Every structure is written in C-alpha cells, then in structure tokens.
Amino acid sequence: MAVLVLAGSLAGGGAWALQNTPQQPPAAQTPPTPPAPIVVPQQSRPVPGPRAAAPVAAPQPATQQPTPPTASTAAPSQPAPVAKPVATTPDKPAEPIKRARSSVAILQALDKVTTETMRFEAPVGQPIRYKTLIFTVRACETTAPDEDAPDSVAYVTVDTQPKALPGRVAPPGRQIYKGWMYANSPGLNPLEHPVYDAWLIACKTSAPVAPAASR
C-alpha cells in the first residue's frame, strides 16, 4: 500500500514538473547547405624557368634607297629607236702572190757513160737537143715570197730522138719524161734514163745560149 502511494506521488510530481517547466520556442530551421562545387584538378603546367637572353643583332648600316624621280624631274617616256641593219660586205680573202715566170730555163745534163756534163739554156716552148734527147721547157717559175722555201721549178718534157744512120731512116722517137723539175731538190722528180741524167739549175729571162754541138 505504501508502494502505491509512493508511485502515485512520484507520478503527480512529475506531471507538475512538466507543467511548470518553461517551454522553449522551436529552433529556427536552417536552410539546407548547398552542395560543395566539384573541383576538377587542372593539369600541372611546367613552371617557366628563366629565359635566355636573345642575341642582340649587330646594327647594320642603313642602305640609301634611291629617290624615285618626281613628276617634275622624270623624263617623258619615249619609244626606243629601232636599230637599222648596216649592210656589210664580207672581207675577201687575200689573194696569194703569183709566182714570177721566166722565159728561159737553165738545165744541166750528164752522160753517165762518158761522165760528160753540159749546162745549157732552154727557152720556154723551144726544143733543145742534147745528144739523142730533146728537151722542151713548157714553163719556168720562181716561188713567191710568201712560200715557205724559195725554189725554181720548170715543167719539162724529154723525148728520145736517135740520129739516123747513113742510108737508114731514123727510128721514131718516144717520150721518156714529163713533169716538174725542182732546182733545190733534183732528186724529187728526177729523169730516169740508163745513159743520161738531167736536172734544173735556175730560171732566168735572158737570151738563151745554144749548147755545144753534140758529138
């Protein structure tokens, strides 16, 4: 019975305490905190180091620019003159100096059997007999000054003409040589005969001297 009284007193005291307890106003509601922004990490960039000093270019001398002609100094443009062709005559080559021609050739003959030699003059175009040979000079010339080697040349024909024996007809003659003889080179175009030999000595314009009578 005492327990019940104690429990009832406790319950009544508790209710009284609750009624006499000052009530606090309700706490103000705080607004919701916005979500924190999402931070995206940026890529790390290299920290620039100290820059090297750029080479300083050497100062160049200033080139003087040509001053354009002004309207007052510029000459009026004129058409360029057309060059006219000049008629030129081709240079003629220098004519070679002609050789001096002579009227007489000096010849020398040799008899190989008797070793007899004879020098005689033969006019151009006139036959000259030496023993059984007939010499006829067709031309006799002297080399020009512009030629390399001075010389005398003669174009000679030689015919053989044996003498007629008493009471017999002379045998017909025949030509044994025809060509140029050279005074300074007698062996260049020599007369080839088993008994006689002949060569040119010189050319001249004097009167001919008749050879001695042949034996």
Side-chain angles (χ1 to χ4, degrees):
M1 183 65 158
V3 174
L4 292 174
V5 174
L6 178 61
S9 60
L10 289 176
W16 181 82
L18 289 175
Q19 290 179 359
N20 294 327
T21 300
Q23 295 182 0
Q24 296 179 358
Q29 295 181 358
T30 58
T33 303
I38 301 174
V39 179
V40 179
Q42 298 181 357
Q43 294 182 355
S44 60
R45 296 181 181 178
V47 178
R51 296 183 180 179
V56 178
Q60 297 182 357
T63 58
Q64 185 176 2
Q65 299 293 337
T67 305
T70 59
S72 59
T73 59
S77 60
Q78 296 180 358
V82 179
K84 297 182 179 180
V86 180
T88 58
T89 57
D91 296 337
K92 294 182 179 180
E95 296 182 359
I97 303 175
K98 294 182 180 181
R99 291 181 173 182
R101 291 196 174 188
S102 303
S103 57
V104 179
I106 302 176
L107 302 175
Q108 186 164 331
L110 169 66
D111 188 337
K112 300 178 184 178
V113 177
T114 62
T115 66
E116 177 187 5
T117 60
M118 179 178 292
R119 181 175 295 188
F120 58 93
E121 297 180 359
V124 175
Q126 180 179 344
I128 299 294
R129 174 185 283 272
Y130 171 74
K131 295 187 177 183
T132 60
L133 301 181
I134 306 296
F135 292 85
T136 304
V137 178
R138 303 298 180 182
C140 194
E141 301 176 350
T142 304
T143 54
D146 58 346
E147 297 189 45
D148 295 337
D151 201 355
S152 297
V153 295
Y155 190 83
V156 184
T157 60
V158 181
D159 299 326
T160 177
Q161 186 69 48
K163 292 183 178 180
L165 298 176
R168 296 185 180 181
V169 179
R174 62 186 182 88
Q175 190 175 83
I176 60 174
Y177 179 83
K178 179 176 67 174
W180 290 94
M181 290 186 177
Y182 300 86
N184 293 341
S185 303
L188 186 60
N189 191 20
L191 169 66
E192 296 179 357
H193 191 272
V195 179
Y196 304 109
D197 195 2
W199 58 92
L200 176 67
I201 299 299
C203 296
K204 72 173 193 176
T205 56
S206 62
V209 177
S214 59
R215 298 180 183 177

